[in-house]
Amino acid sequence: MGVTSRLVRWAAARPGAYVVTSPGGTRARLGVEAELRRRGWPLVASPAAGGLLVVCGDHLEDAVTTVWDDLPNPRALARIPASATSDRIAALLDEAAALLADADAQRADARTRPGPWIPDTAHGGLPMAERGPDRDGLALDRLHVPLGPVLAHWPAGLVVRTTLQGDVIQAAEAEYPERPGDGSFWDEPWERARAGEPVTRGEAERRTAASHLDGLARLLAVAGWDAAAGPARRLRDGLLAG
């Protein structure tokens, strides 16, 4: 077995997963995170840190394509439909892991990679820096950088357009998706109750508590405090399991 094959198999044994969520993909994301925790596969903060890109939901095609094109080999993409069951999620992750471990497939993928990405300012690329006064009145370079929508632990579909001077955000504007959809999972018990289905108060309260823990886990993860985000996810999953 060659060095390349050994490295590919090593990368696939416990791949780091970069998980992103589209509007309406909350249920799929929760199922993916629970399955990853069961397998011991870590969540990573950047796609290059793990090689496994996991997309939960169906509405981020252009942004996902951009991230995928920049991802180095070995790499694999798992697309998880919004309505995927736990068994389907496990099967799709297995398929992605098998692709990561396939040295021949990785070589073939590397040969067909597109060329390096060149920013096109006319079509959404990063423009050249411009000058502007900072908070001390100095004229410094300003760069306009969008954050999202394909970021780990990020609200589904959210884009924050920032103006940066050095490491300081001078201005920011949030753009929410046209079809949020993401709140439907957390509101589901109340929607069912309004439709006349029997829903216990305990079920509704557990869903509310789980939504708070999910928000807390994502905030801690974005802040880089993974040691605290993990227990929040475990408590969330326990509540959702009843």
Side-chain angles (χ1 to χ4, degrees):
M1 182 184 294
V3 174
T4 299
S5 297
R6 289 180 180 274
L7 288 174
V8 167
R9 289 181 180 276
W10 176 82
R14 189 172 177 265
Y18 185 72
V19 179
V20 297
T21 312
S22 74
T26 295
R27 184 189 300 275
R29 174 179 61 83
L30 295 170
V32 165
E33 290 183 0
E35 178 64 20
L36 292 175
R37 182 165 60 84
R38 186 185 69 79
R39 295 172 180 230
W41 294 4
L43 292 167
V44 296
S46 71
L52 176 57
L53 176 60
V54 184
V55 182
C56 303
D58 314 302
H59 304 287
L60 291 176
E61 190 60 38
D62 291 343
V64 168
T65 298
T66 299
V67 173
W68 175 248
D69 287 344
D70 290 340
L71 194 62
N73 292 89
R75 63 177 187 168
L77 172 62
R79 296 183 181 274
I80 312 297
S83 59
T85 64
S86 58
D87 289 343
R88 181 59 176 156
I89 289 172
L92 290 170
L93 291 177
D94 286 340
E95 291 175 9
L99 183 59
L100 272 179
D102 189 333
D104 291 336
Q106 293 298 326
R107 292 190 188 96
D109 181 40
R111 286 194 294 268
T112 60
R113 298 290 298 273
W117 178 68
I118 300 175
D120 182 354
T121 58
H123 297 89
L126 292 179
M128 295 294 289
E130 61 188 37
R131 288 297 179 93
D134 75 343
R135 55 189 174 185
D136 297 320
L138 302 175
L140 299 178
D141 287 343
R142 294 190 304 185
L143 190 62
H144 302 284
V145 178
L147 304 177
V150 182
L151 289 176
H153 320 299
W154 197 248
L158 175 65
V159 177
V160 178
R161 302 195 179 277
T162 67
T163 301
L164 300 179
Q165 285 185 308
D167 59 355
V168 177
I169 296 178
Q170 297 288 5
E173 181 179 356
E175 295 180 4
Y176 294 94
E178 293 183 2
R179 54 181 305 274
D182 208 44
S184 61
F185 174 80
W186 302 117
D187 297 337
E188 185 182 55
W190 288 269
E191 296 293 340
R192 287 164 44 208
R194 279 192 285 269
E197 295 184 32
V199 177
T200 66
R201 177 171 294 182
E203 179 185 356
E205 293 297 340
R206 283 194 299 273
R207 187 68 63 93
T208 297
S211 73
H212 294 322
L213 283 166
D214 183 62
L216 175 61
R218 291 199 290 168
L219 173 64
L220 292 168
V222 169
W225 196 357
D226 293 331
R233 292 192 193 98
R234 287 195 294 272
L235 289 169
R236 174 202 65 195
D237 293 345
L239 283 170
L240 291 174

